[in-house]
Amino acid sequence: MEDTLKALVSEAEEGIPSVHTRPEFEAFKARFVGPNGSLKEAMRDMAQVPKEDKPRIGQLLNKTKQALEAIFQTALDKIEAAELAAKLGDPIDPSLPSPDPAVGGLHPLTQVRNEIVRVLKSVGFIVAEGPEVETEHFCFDALNTPKDHPARDLQDTFYLPNDATVGNVSKHEDERYLLRTHTSTVQIRTMLEQEPPVRIISPGRCFRRDTTDATHSASFTQVEGLYVDKGVTVCDLKAILDFLMKSLLGNDAKTRFRPHFFPYTEPSFEMDAQSSHLAKVGKDWVELGGCGMVDPNVFKSVGYDPEVYSGYAFGFGIERIAMIMYGIDDIRYFYQNDYRFLKQFS
Amino acid sequence: MLISLSWLSNYVDLSDKSVEEIEYAMNMIGFEVEGTKETGIPDLPKVVVGEVLSREQHPDADRLGVCEVNVGEEEALQIVCGASNYKVGDRIPVATVGARLPGNFKIKASKLRGVKSFGMMCSPRELGLGDDHDGLMILNQRPDIGKPINDVFTDSDTVLDIEVTPNRPDCLSHVGIAREMAAYFGKALTYPILETDFDGIRKTGEPTLISEVDVQAPDDCPNYYAHSIKGVKIGPSPDWLKQYLEAVDQRPINNVVDITNFVLLEFGQPLHAFDANKIGGNKIVVRKATHDEKIVTLDEKERTLNSDMLVIADAEKPLVVAGVMGSVDAEVDDNTVDVVLESAYFDPSGIRKTSRTLGLSSDSSYRFERGVDPQGANFAALRTIDLILDIAGGELVGPYIQAGTEPVIEREIELNPQFIRDIAGYEISDERIREILESLECSVSDGGESWVIKVPSWRGDLYRPADLSEEIIRMFGTDQIPESPVEVSGLIHQDANTASLNDRFSSYLAGQHFQECVHYSLRSGDEASQWFSRYSLDTLKLANPFTSDQTHLRVSLIPGLLDTLKLNFARKTGMERVFEVGKVFHEYEGQVFEMVSVAFAIFQPDRDSSWKSREEGDFYTAKNILNALGGLANVNLEGVGYRSLSLGTSIWQEDHSAHVGSFSKQGFEAKLGMLNVNLVKEWDLEGTVLAGAFEILPERIKASGKIVKFKPFSQFPPTEKDLALLVDDTLLAETVRRDLHKITKRAVNNRYELESVSVFDVYTGEGVPEGKKSLAFNMKFRSNDRTLTDKEVGEVFNTVQQEIESKTSYELRS
């Protein structure tokens, strides 16, 4: 009996190094302490042990049991450690790159738009939007653009076929559908829907039937602003554009107005900006957009009384602003989506 | 429009203004200077005519001479000179001390090899007159000693290329621009003095050269003057005239033609000189062309006219496309002796239409279509006659013929000067307002609060107080607009639903490691028919596309994204996750619908370039993203129910793609999954592409500003039960789940809550019969006020199992 028990321990000691996994361990353990295990057998054999030997053998049995348990525990610890190690994997190399996708990002046109929107929202503008497929009424008529204005020509503006119907853009009268040439259409839609005061910005995609080259694109993005209220002045217009340009180009940015002509504003101006940032990209005064006081005829077309209300409007090409801000020399980069271009702005 | 400053100086004296000041003024009053060109010698103060009085050899330099030069001052100047082509008595240009030669070369008193020199005698190149540097410029015409060199060479000029906006046709002329400059700088405007006048001074009694002018289209030609000049001598124009024309890029032709061009550029009134002998039937007919009538215009191209076009004809043939271009048949040439001069007013829109239709634009049509001064034809004719008689000789004969009448323009605007200040928002005095208006040749009535402004005939753009406000702000100086703070009153309005939705889409996707891209909205017809043949594509086609690859409104954002993946894969930039937010267009029952859309694509290259590989995404990856996008649009796509895209589709991979929603029923739809592997291969992409696109009608988008109502939740643990069902493998898991949910809910019968029923395992294979699959569900029960007992949940669970066995085709799997 004594020998059996001793043999048991040494058997366990010898066998345990080849036990590596949990199932192996359970099977191995069962060989000794399982219901039919050898220790159980030995315990059953206790009955045959002479009475006087019982305490000693009993003690021995206990010791054996403890020794086995210690062996098992050590083995189990090892297995658990191995399992944990397997679960954790190799130690990391903190210098290795993550295999997961790189950071995402917004397109530079979206970023510039968002920045303009953010600045203008801080002074009470809200974003208004409208359809890209528009009617001549919203794109031209309501904006005081004469019937035979060159901008309406087939060579300058994209039209849908005469019999086309746009389910969710209704015609004003019998007129053609077109791809809007500016987002001023949204100003008209907004003014038709609500009474002054109106303070909106309308960013969005526009189209002109133009050859695409480094500085022209048949598709481009605009952001326009409109403020209508009692007593809005040229001075207010200058103030908002100064504020916007300082926010975009730095606190030293300045604007200047050069008189110009647009059918929908009177007086009309082109706005130039100047800043030390622009000086770094080698520009002095840079033409950035158009602006002016809303033409009384536009007010009439939306049912506002031009004797009571006045307002200003301004508009920029987002591509142009982005090109000037970042020193980009070809407008086509925006639509090509080369990652090496896009991620510079992420 | 090219403006010669030297030409301009005939009408306004800007001699105290530098070119920079003039350019600034042009820019700031609305004529953007797009270019500046210098001709002749530049402005060279302190360069004068000198005469060599003596010439000695330099004591220490063989090649240098020491001269005494008389420049018209008391003492002659000693000048050391390296040239050799001159002799005593020659007159030469001398740059005296303080002069600046081109290249910013400043002349100073200096010593050359020990001999003092007080100036420089100049070669042509040193004066900026070409490349000749072989020796001094000998002034053989012997101009007066001391005369400024700019007075000797008077052809020096600065020509500005300015943009004239379409509302200002009156400024398509030197006089028009001179008027603006005079108004801005507060100078006088000088018109040329006419010698010819209506009463026939310089006119003989001989009969006119033609018998009549028959205007058959008076709407298109309200006023027509024909003057007859007999016995002109055609020849080259005098130098001054040639110089002016050449300065503004006009090619001199002969004196009579040059004069009409000169007056056109002087006053903006186009004129036409006919060779009287080429006018058949001795009469001028202003009529509409006949259909398919032919004319060979001066550019030697045959033009086919139509009956909308106005022509100036003789009894037989058209001689001029009215207001656009003459024909070779009526040209004034070297043999011309008698001239009939046309000066007319044509309707702008008719000229514009003709010019567009013919694709033919001229200085004349450019002005007529924008609108010349309706009352300017007479003055311009007389000015032209003056110049012809002076330069080409001849005599004005007979009474002039006028057909039609001069349009009556009496535009009066009532203006309260306070209105100007109200629009401007800063102080401009009544006095200044009046001054500006008068400087623009508006007459201002006296007195009272409200003034009456009479506008000159050439200012068709001024008819309301707002128009006058622009004039005043412009001339007062936009640099006078004060800086001021933005003043804001709060408005309770919200961003457009579409705008805030697009923002949510893009922030979400950028946060999910997608890079935003932007593509053109116009795509090719080929692509449209390959991808979207279920649409009636003609509806989406533009009436006037510009290029063949951009003919159709885009139906989906996915092709653009594939283009981008293709480009970036070819260029090995490593961009694999892309998205776009933008408008797409659906065709439904013959109508176009503009939709708000968001789409994403994930490229999974066959060859993983990373050191550590990750498990590839699949349909469910795309679904997770799409669900989130739907959620941002307040649409529960799971609730709507995904369906396999079973139809043979060219875009999506069969059995690995799905759709949800329906345009006609819900106003939105979405597709997602793996893109067709063959298509992806065609796009030169080695790998698979997972994608999703969500499209919604803008009017379906709800404002997101709903205020959340808090719902209390249970503080007790849930009890869970699992259940596996054998079902037909064609069934959607969601169908089975809903059935199970319904049965279970009924079994619970509101005693507590059925929190969820969810699939946790899908299994086919061993133990599952052919044509079946095993779906394992987890059911979670919870009560708001207690921990549920096994018994009460067990009862429900038993009921559920019984119901399934008795009432469904599903089989319980133990």
Side-chain angles (χ1 to χ4, degrees):
Chain A
M1 185 76 186
E2 266 184 86
D3 292 345
T4 319
L5 291 176
K6 268 182 197 154
L8 259 178
V9 174
S10 48
E11 189 193 338
E13 273 170 346
E14 277 160 31
I16 205 79
S18 58
V19 171
H20 298 296
T21 67
R22 204 173 274 267
E24 277 169 20
F25 172 77
E26 295 300 342
F28 186 77
K29 189 177 167 188
R31 261 169 62 193
F32 298 91
V33 295
N36 302 312
S38 32
L39 186 67
K40 282 275 147 69
E41 221 167 279
M43 283 163 84
R44 276 196 292 277
D45 293 346
M46 252 317 255
Q48 277 98 58
V49 172
K51 198 171 182 191
E52 64 277 15
D53 286 347
K54 271 194 178 159
R56 192 175 50 85
I57 298 296
Q59 221 172 10
L60 193 63
L61 200 63
N62 258 342
K63 264 190 190 160
T64 307
K65 201 175 159 189
Q66 281 164 10
L68 284 174
E69 260 160 19
I71 290 167
F72 294 149
Q73 191 55 50
T74 313
L76 186 61
D77 286 351
K78 260 193 202 160
I79 287 166
E80 278 177 349
E83 277 176 352
L84 182 64
K87 185 175 174 182
L88 292 178
D90 293 337
I92 55 100
D93 172 348
S95 70
L96 277 171
S98 166
D100 294 326
V103 68
L106 298 179
H107 193 278
L109 292 178
T110 305
Q111 292 186 41
V112 172
R113 187 197 67 197
N114 287 354
E115 184 57 14
I116 293 170
V117 166
R118 183 191 66 76
V119 170
L120 291 172
K121 284 179 85 161
S122 76
V123 283
F125 283 78
I126 57 129
V127 179
E129 289 193 332
E132 289 173 10
V133 172
E134 265 290 2
T135 67
E136 263 180 292
H137 175 77
F138 285 105
C139 200
F140 295 127
D141 298 333
L143 286 157
N144 196 34
T145 310
K147 286 277 181 216
D148 57 354
H149 193 277
R152 294 181 182 234
D153 277 1
L154 281 173
Q155 37 197 315
D156 294 324
T157 297
F158 288 114
Y159 287 91
L160 296 196
N162 284 336
D163 56 353
T165 319
V166 179
N168 49 353
V169 180
S170 51
K171 287 189 187 182
H172 193 257
E173 47 196 36
D174 187 24
E175 53 190 320
R176 289 174 292 179
Y177 283 107
L178 46 74
L179 302 192
R180 66 177 175 192
T181 57
H182 47 200
T183 57
S184 313
T185 52
V186 180
Q187 303 184 352
I188 300 297
R189 288 182 175 279
T190 307
M191 287 192 281
L192 284 173
E193 273 166 24
Q194 64 186 71
E195 286 298 307
V198 169
R199 209 189 286 122
I200 55 161
I201 18 170
S202 48
R205 196 172 273 216
C206 305
F207 305 84
R208 286 184 197 166
R209 206 167 168 279
D210 212 341
T211 313
T212 297
D213 61 22
T215 52
H216 297 85
S217 179
S219 171
F220 60 99
T221 344
Q222 252 200 350
V223 58
E224 294 201 338
L226 170 76
Y227 175 39
V228 182
D229 205 341
K230 288 176 185 160
V232 180
T233 66
V234 172
C235 203
D236 294 327
L237 172 59
K238 167 95 172 153
I240 193 76
L241 292 177
D242 279 343
F243 175 74
L244 178 60
M245 288 302 133
K246 282 181 200 297
S247 306
L248 290 180
L249 300 172
N251 217 10
D252 66 337
K254 287 188 172 62
T255 66
R256 72 172 188 192
F257 286 8
R258 280 180 295 101
H260 198 71
F261 171 70
F262 306 110
Y264 27 87
T265 46
E266 186 75 22
S268 305
F269 309 98
E270 282 187 323
M271 191 211 74
D272 297 344
Q274 188 187 50
S275 79
S276 57
H277 169 75
L278 294 181
K280 265 180 260 163
V281 258
K283 316 259 177 153
D284 188 20
W285 285 106
V286 180
E287 182 187 324
L288 283 185
C291 61
M293 303 303 291
V294 180
D295 194 286
N297 289 347
V298 174
F299 281 152
K300 282 181 201 157
S301 75
V302 298
Y304 286 5
D305 184 352
E307 303 283 320
V308 177
Y309 295 108
S310 60
Y312 63 65
F314 56 85
F316 304 99
I318 295 181
E319 282 86 349
R320 178 161 175 79
I321 302 239
M323 287 172 83
I324 283 160
M325 272 175 74
Y326 301 132
I328 298 165
D329 58 4
D330 194 324
I331 198 170
R332 287 168 292 198
Y333 282 129
F334 292 114
Y335 295 90
Q336 186 187 49
N337 302 299
D338 188 308
Y339 193 35
R340 292 162 298 172
F341 174 76
L342 297 175
K343 71 179 168 190
Q344 293 185 39
F345 310 96
S346 288
Chain B
M1 166 90 195
L2 295 174
I3 292 290
S4 147
L5 294 189
S6 126
W7 186 344
L8 200 66
S9 69
N10 292 298
Y11 322 108
V12 59
D13 177 13
L14 299 177
S15 56
D16 60 335
K17 305 291 173 200
S18 67
V19 171
E20 288 70 29
E21 284 172 294
I22 295 170
E23 283 184 6
Y24 179 80
M26 294 272 191
N27 275 322
M28 295 312 278
I29 60 175
F31 304 96
E32 191 175 351
V33 178
E34 290 172 334
T36 308
K37 177 177 82 171
E38 308 276 347
T39 62
I41 59 170
D43 192 24
L44 294 172
K46 297 198 171 178
V47 180
V48 297
V49 176
E51 185 175 285
V52 182
L53 299 177
S54 67
R55 175 182 177 179
E56 307 283 334
Q57 182 63 39
H58 189 289
D60 292 325
D62 292 350
R63 289 168 175 269
L64 296 180
V66 180
C67 303
E68 290 290 315
V69 182
N70 178 7
V71 293
E73 286 164 18
E74 267 178 43
E75 276 183 45
L77 301 177
Q78 175 172 300
I79 294 176
V80 178
C81 178
S84 57
N85 68 324
Y86 65 99
K87 56 186 190 299
V88 170
D90 278 349
R91 296 208 175 157
I92 43 29
V94 180
T96 60
V97 172
R100 245 175 231 275
L101 295 181
N104 206 18
F105 176 37
K106 200 173 171 188
I107 303 299
K108 288 181 270 193
S110 62
K111 264 186 188 173
L112 285 155
R113 296 271 183 114
V115 177
K116 286 184 176 170
S117 182
F118 299 93
M120 189 173 93
M121 298 190 278
C122 304
S123 71
R125 189 171 83 184
E126 282 158 345
L127 295 178
L129 281 174
D131 288 334
D132 183 358
H133 194 47
D134 291 342
L136 298 187
M137 183 175 191
I138 311 295
L139 303 170
N140 292 322
Q141 70 277 37
R142 301 189 67 74
D144 294 344
I145 293 168
K147 193 173 186 179
I149 201 72
N150 286 109
D151 291 347
V152 177
F153 296 100
T154 52
D155 63 339
S156 69
D157 197 356
T158 302
V159 178
L160 303 183
D161 186 0
I162 59 168
E163 182 199 352
V164 177
T165 49
N167 59 327
R168 294 302 305 275
D170 62 301
C171 286
L172 293 168
S173 67
H174 281 75
V175 167
I177 290 295
R179 186 183 296 118
E180 295 283 312
M181 289 287 111
Y184 184 75
F185 286 121
K187 303 247 181 193
L189 178 69
T190 317
Y191 282 98
I193 295 164
L194 291 182
E195 289 175 37
T196 311
D197 73 10
F198 309 109
D199 300 327
I201 300 174
R202 306 187 74 175
K203 191 165 75 180
T204 73
E206 285 191 52
T208 43
L209 294 166
I210 50 169
S211 59
E212 68 166 313
V213 174
D214 174 13
V215 176
Q216 297 174 358
D219 288 349
D220 294 86
C221 176
N223 192 20
Y224 193 103
Y225 295 103
H227 292 269
S228 300
I229 304 163
K230 226 179 151 175
V232 298
K233 194 168 171 352
I234 302 295
S237 293
D239 286 347
W240 67 265
L241 179 52
K242 281 201 235 172
Q243 272 169 28
Y244 281 158
L245 292 176
E246 281 170 346
V248 297
D249 288 356
Q250 297 278 330
R251 189 169 54 91
I253 295 167
N254 61 46
N255 47 14
V256 169
V257 172
D258 290 353
I259 289 164
T260 58
N261 286 336
F262 175 81
V263 175
L264 174 138
L265 296 170
E266 185 180 42
F267 280 99
Q269 169 69 47
L271 300 124
H272 195 87
F274 296 92
D275 183 331
N277 296 323
K278 293 180 184 172
I279 300 174
N282 215 25
K283 66 184 260 191
I284 284 177
V285 183
V286 182
R287 60 164 168 86
K288 289 294 179 78
T290 55
H291 183 65
D292 274 348
E293 194 165 7
K294 303 277 195 285
I295 186 170
V296 179
T297 44
L298 280 173
D299 53 4
E300 291 178 348
K301 284 186 184 141
E302 190 187 67
R303 311 275 172 179
T304 305
L305 308 176
N306 68 38
S307 55
D308 283 339
M309 297 174 178
L310 192 69
V311 292
I312 314 298
D314 60 14
E316 297 131 27
K317 57 189 182 303
L319 302 176
V320 182
V321 181
V324 181
M325 195 177 276
S327 79
V328 290
D329 293 337
E331 217 175 340
V332 169
D333 59 30
D334 292 350
N335 304 318
T336 301
V337 182
D338 296 337
V339 169
V340 172
L341 180 71
E342 163 196 301
S343 184
Y345 178 69
F346 297 115
D347 171 58
S349 62
I351 302 291
R352 182 178 311 127
K353 226 185 265 169
T354 303
S355 164
R356 287 282 145 85
T357 313
L358 292 177
L360 178 62
S361 178
S362 64
D363 285 329
S364 167
S365 67
Y366 191 79
R367 284 166 180 75
F368 275 127
E369 69 182 37
R370 279 165 178 73
V372 301
D373 179 358
Q375 298 179 351
N378 193 26
F379 190 97
L382 299 179
R383 169 70 170 153
T384 312
I385 292 163
D386 263 2
L387 290 169
I388 292 178
L389 298 185
D390 286 349
I391 291 169
E395 52 190 14
L396 188 61
V397 296
Y400 66 82
I401 299 175
Q402 179 177 12
T405 50
E406 185 170 82
V408 179
I409 309 287
E410 272 185 13
R411 226 179 354 258
E412 291 185 345
I413 305 170
E414 206 173 293
L415 177 74
N416 181 340
Q418 183 55 37
F419 170 82
I420 304 292
R421 288 183 285 272
D422 287 347
I423 279 290
Y426 50 95
E427 180 58 26
I428 308 175
S429 69
D430 282 8
E431 199 188 342
R432 189 76 186 100
I433 292 171
R434 174 187 295 270
E435 213 172 82
I436 289 169
L437 291 173
E438 286 175 348
S439 72
L440 293 167
E441 299 188 48
C442 294
S443 79
V444 181
S445 77
D446 275 328
E449 266 194 2
S450 203
W451 303 351
V452 175
I453 316 296
K454 246 192 201 151
V455 178
S457 58
W458 56 83
R459 291 304 301 270
D461 59 320
L462 305 181
Y463 58 100
R464 306 164 302 178
D467 303 322
L468 297 177
S469 77
E470 177 168 80
E471 296 308 290
I472 287 147
I473 287 167
R474 201 165 68 88
M475 287 299 171
F476 189 68
T478 53
D479 44 8
Q480 301 299 309
I481 305 171
E483 287 190 17
S484 62
V486 178
E487 283 172 21
V488 181
S489 56
L491 297 179
I492 304 168
H493 286 145
Q494 276 186 342
D495 284 354
N497 296 342
T498 49
S500 43
L501 177 61
N502 287 341
D503 279 350
R504 294 196 295 274
F505 282 154
S506 39
S507 327
Y508 168 76
L509 286 168
Q512 295 295 314
H513 303 273
F514 286 90
Q515 171 63 50
E516 187 185 21
C517 300
V518 171
H519 303 96
Y520 294 120
S521 309
L522 299 172
R523 308 280 307 183
S524 80
D526 283 351
E527 177 189 282
S529 55
Q530 185 192 350
W531 284 52
F532 307 105
S533 47
R534 74 183 169 100
Y535 291 120
S536 157
L537 293 169
D538 284 348
T539 318
L540 297 166
K541 190 179 174 182
L542 297 178
N544 59 337
F546 193 51
T547 53
S548 61
D549 59 341
Q550 299 199 349
T551 53
H552 285 67
L553 294 169
R554 65 180 172 186
V555 172
S556 163
L557 299 175
I558 302 256
L561 292 176
L562 266 186
D563 282 350
T564 285
L565 288 178
K566 174 182 175 168
L567 176 123
N568 282 280
F569 180 65
R571 295 182 176 185
K572 300 196 186 306
T573 67
M575 183 159 71
E576 292 167 2
R577 295 164 72 92
V578 292
F579 80 95
E580 180 170 12
V581 175
K583 297 287 183 65
V584 298
F585 300 86
H586 275 209
E587 183 272 335
Y588 183 73
E589 294 185 344
Q591 296 195 333
V592 181
F593 288 86
E594 185 168 330
M595 311 274 283
V596 168
S597 180
V598 55
F600 60 90
I602 304 169
F603 175 53
Q604 308 191 113
D606 289 339
R607 253 172 305 161
D608 193 347
S609 58
S610 174
W611 64 274
K612 187 180 177 96
S613 57
R614 292 289 202 225
E615 198 181 336
E616 287 226 326
D618 56 17
F619 168 83
Y620 303 101
T621 312
K623 181 176 173 181
N624 186 43
I625 297 165
L626 198 71
N627 273 341
L629 295 174
L632 295 173
N634 297 320
V635 172
N636 176 2
L637 295 179
E638 290 283 10
V640 174
Y642 284 87
R643 299 267 179 277
S644 284
L645 270 172
S646 48
L647 290 169
T649 153
S650 52
I651 307 171
W652 301 94
Q653 181 63 38
E654 219 175 324
D655 295 336
H656 293 272
S657 55
H659 71 110
V660 56
S662 125
F663 169 77
S664 55
K665 290 193 193 110
Q666 282 121 337
F668 63 81
E669 60 184 49
K671 295 196 180 65
L672 75 161
M674 187 176 282
L675 289 181
N676 186 310
V677 291
N678 292 323
L679 180 95
V680 167
K681 209 179 281 173
E682 269 173 46
W683 237 269
D684 296 332
L685 288 164
E686 294 163 20
T688 54
V689 177
L690 296 172
F694 175 75
E695 290 145 14
I696 183 166
L697 282 168
E699 48 272 31
R700 267 291 321 249
I701 300 168
K702 302 273 186 304
S704 56
K706 210 165 65 180
I707 297 174
V708 171
K709 170 93 167 68
F710 165 75
K711 287 190 226 66
F713 51 89
S714 167
Q715 303 295 314
F716 297 91
T719 302
E720 294 176 271
K721 288 280 177 198
D722 292 346
L723 179 73
L725 299 177
L726 276 180
V727 306
D728 277 357
D729 66 1
T730 53
L731 278 175
L732 290 179
E734 179 63 9
T735 311
V736 182
R737 192 197 68 83
R738 282 187 196 181
D739 288 344
L740 179 59
H741 189 273
K742 214 187 293 166
I743 290 168
T744 313
K745 187 137 175 107
R746 204 158 53 218
V748 171
N749 196 19
N750 290 329
R751 282 172 285 178
Y752 42 87
E753 266 187 63
L754 170 62
E755 204 168 82
S756 67
V757 175
S758 53
V759 180
F760 74 88
D761 191 40
V762 180
Y763 175 74
T764 53
E766 210 180 319
V768 174
E770 192 83 349
K772 298 273 179 190
K773 63 184 167 191
S774 161
L775 297 173
F777 294 93
N778 171 276
M779 297 178 278
K780 204 185 275 177
F781 305 93
R782 205 190 304 253
S783 162
N784 275 328
D785 51 18
R786 64 188 189 279
T787 303
L788 294 175
T789 63
D790 286 348
K791 186 168 169 271
E792 53 190 335
V793 176
E795 275 170 23
V796 165
F797 193 54
N798 287 337
T799 316
V800 168
Q801 285 171 307
Q802 284 161 21
E803 292 260 317
I804 283 174
E805 290 203 309
S806 60
K807 294 191 178 149
T808 72
S809 60
Y810 311 144
E811 233 175 281
L812 289 170
R813 184 160 179 259
S814 42

